[in-house]
Every structure is written in C-alpha cells, then in structure tokens.
Amino acid sequence: MRDDFLNIRHIEPDDCNAIFEVPSDWWGSNYSSDMISKWYIHHFRDTCLLAEENGKMAGFLIGFLSQSEPNESYIRIVMVDPAIRGKGVGRALYEEFFKRVGMLGRSVVRCVTAPGKKDSIAFHTRMGFIIEPQEQEYEGVPVFINYDGRGGNRVLFKKVLQKMENH
Amino acid sequence: MRDDFLNIRHIEPDDCNAIFEVPSDWWGSNYSSDMISKWYIHHFRDTCLLAEENGKMAGFLIGFLSQSEPNESYIRIVMVDPAIRGKGVGRALYEEFFKRVGMLGRSVVRCVTAPGKKDSIAFHTRMGFIIEPQEQEYEGVPVFINYDGRGGNRVLFKKVLQKMENH
C-alpha cells in the first residue's frame, strides 16, 4: 500500500452505517460499545478517525481526551479491515492520533489490550508504547487485574509523545 | 427524605462493585454501557456523581463534557434506587451536575430519553429542559430518528444553564 492511497480523516455521522456493518467481521466476534455511535462521534469528533484506501473504509479509531488528566489521551477502539492487515493502516491511524492530540496539548497516550493478544502487544511496542509495570503477570506480560471493574484483565500501554520541537 | 441525609459526591473506583450489582434491578432490565466502568469514571471523574442516603448508594449519574462543543455537557446514564424514587434523588444528582459543569464553563446540558418513557419526559421538563423540535413525532412528542445510528429513536433534551450572577 502506498501512503498516497491512504487517507485519514474524522469520522462523520454518515460513516456510521459502514462502521456498524463491519465489527463482527473485523473484530472477530460481535463487539459492543456505546462509543460506536453517532452521538459519541459527534461529541468526540477530534479523536475519532477513519482510514480510507481508495475511498473505501480500511479502518477506524475511536478515542478521547481525558477530562480528569489534562495531559492524557486514550485510544479506546481500533479496527482494521482484516483483508489489509499488516499494511500500515493501524500505524497510520495511531500516528495521526498522536499528531492531533499532541496539537491539542496532550503529551501522553494510553490504551489497553487483552493479555492473550500477542500481535496487539507487539504492535503497541513497535509504536513506542511501554507496558506499565504491575504486580501480576500473564505469560511474562504485566497485567492489571479487573481493569474495567467487571473482572477483565488488561495490559496497560503508555506512550509519552515527543515534543514537536524535537522532530 | 431530608436533604441533609443525601450526600452527592464523585464516583470513586471502589464504588464500581456496588454500581455493577444494581443495574438489572434499578434499570428494569440488563443495561450495558462501557461508560459504567472503572476506566471511564477515572477519566471522566468530574462528571460522574453518586448519591448516598445515610451512607448507602441511592443513585448515580454518568456524564461528560463535550470535547467538540466547548459550551456543552451531556448526561448519559442516570439510575436511582427504585425503592426511593420520587424523593428527589434524581433532582439532586442533576442539580449537582448543573452546578459542577457550570463551574467548568459549560452553559448547555444535553441528554436523551426513549419516546415511550413518559415519566422521564415529565421529569426532564420539570428540571427545565426543553425538547428539541424535530420533523417526526411519537404520540405528540418530537423524536429524533436513529439517534445512535443503530435505529434507536430518542427525545432530545436541552437545558441552558442560568449564569451564576443571575442567582
């Protein structure tokens, strides 16, 4: 894939139909989140991004600027068309997110993954995230127990953005 | 209920277990939202409130400050113990929310309800919300079609907060 065929832009309300149709295919199972909704992408427009390859949706990213932590931003959901994985769509979405939240004054990006998702852990490490140390480990990976409060355990990633003047 | 027995405070991570145990009872059916989670209340602490009556959870409210609309705030989830409905817990949660988001510079509060929920429509009207006009109506109430993008229709409420100097 050449970069000039990949366009990253905000998710618009009209994109929602296309987004709702993909998750069971792209995610690998049914995925439910009230952040995948028209009202969410309206109120969090700056941090909801869509990647298009030749005009066709290739992936999307849904995140937010933390209200409580003024330096932090959070990537909540990322999905990429399984037919074109490994071609840089995820990287392009993350890099655009880093750029935009950096311009909005955020110096930290956080996200999480399930401890069994080795590909996701490798991807985030390549993208410059560090894994936050924890008391517990799962197969050698630090794991935060009961992350959501409902018993789910997660690997916690943190990336400190380089200041623009260092580029 | 006397006001001095009702305490409104932020939701803390330790409250999550109590919150997870109630929804099927309080909401009337199983309710799922990823905003009812430890990570959400951490990042949106200012707009997540809990009401306690004599130290026991009586209700809670989960909202956010709009990222995209700098004057707006949004109440997403409100639940009150069905055993003490009609005693002002919902009103107290909303009024505390109005006060806090007003102090954070927001002049508009938005929320929605299902068109069939007559009690909820009456409550929001008493709380000073107006119903946003729509082309469609349901039993005489203006209804926004496909609000979430998945086909759900909603009554859209809007309240403009009075400026502090007018009190």
Side-chain angles (χ1 to χ4, degrees), chain A residues 20 33-36 38-39 42-45 47 64-69 76 146-150, chain B residues 20 33-36 38-39 42-45 47 65-69 76 146-150:
Chain A
F20 293 144
S33 166
D34 46 9
M35 292 187 174
I36 304 184
K38 272 164 60 174
W39 63 265
H42 173 78
H43 285 293
F44 292 87
R45 187 171 189 278
T47 50
F64 58 81
L65 307 177
S66 175
Q67 250 182 224
S68 309
E69 307 288 348
R76 174 67 185 154
N146 194 18
Y147 176 69
D148 53 7
R150 296 191 181 88
Chain B
F20 294 144
S33 166
D34 45 9
M35 292 187 174
I36 304 183
K38 272 165 57 174
W39 64 265
H42 173 76
H43 285 293
F44 293 86
R45 188 171 188 277
T47 51
L65 308 177
S66 176
Q67 252 183 223
S68 309
E69 306 289 349
R76 174 67 185 152
N146 194 19
Y147 176 69
D148 53 5
R150 295 191 179 89

Side-chain angles (χ1 to χ4, degrees), chain B residues 43-104:
Chain B
H43 285 293
F44 293 86
R45 188 171 188 277
D46 282 338
T47 51
C48 294
L49 302 174
L50 189 137
E52 288 174 318
E53 187 192 24
N54 298 320
K56 183 171 172 289
M57 184 168 69
F60 61 90
L61 181 159
I62 294 179
F64 58 82
L65 308 177
S66 176
Q67 252 183 223
S68 309
E69 306 289 349
N71 297 326
E72 298 192 5
S73 59
Y74 195 105
I75 296 175
R76 174 67 185 152
I77 301 166
V78 181
M79 292 191 192
V80 172
D81 185 342
I84 52 171
R85 277 193 193 145
K87 293 188 178 176
V89 176
R91 171 175 286 273
L93 283 165
Y94 271 64
E95 286 180 345
E96 186 67 24
F97 184 85
F98 298 159
K99 189 174 115 187
R100 293 186 185 221
V101 300
M103 288 169 61
L104 294 166

Side-chain angles (χ1 to χ4, degrees), chain A residues 35-55:
Chain A
M35 292 187 174
I36 304 184
S37 62
K38 272 164 60 174
W39 63 265
Y40 185 88
I41 63 158
H42 173 78
H43 285 293
F44 292 87
R45 187 171 189 278
D46 282 339
T47 50
C48 294
L49 302 174
L50 188 136
E52 287 175 319
E53 188 193 21
N54 298 319

Side-chain angles (χ1 to χ4, degrees), chain A residues 101-113:
Chain A
V101 301
M103 288 169 61
L104 294 166
R106 305 292 162 134
S107 57
V108 171
V109 181
R110 292 185 184 277
C111 55
V112 305
T113 201

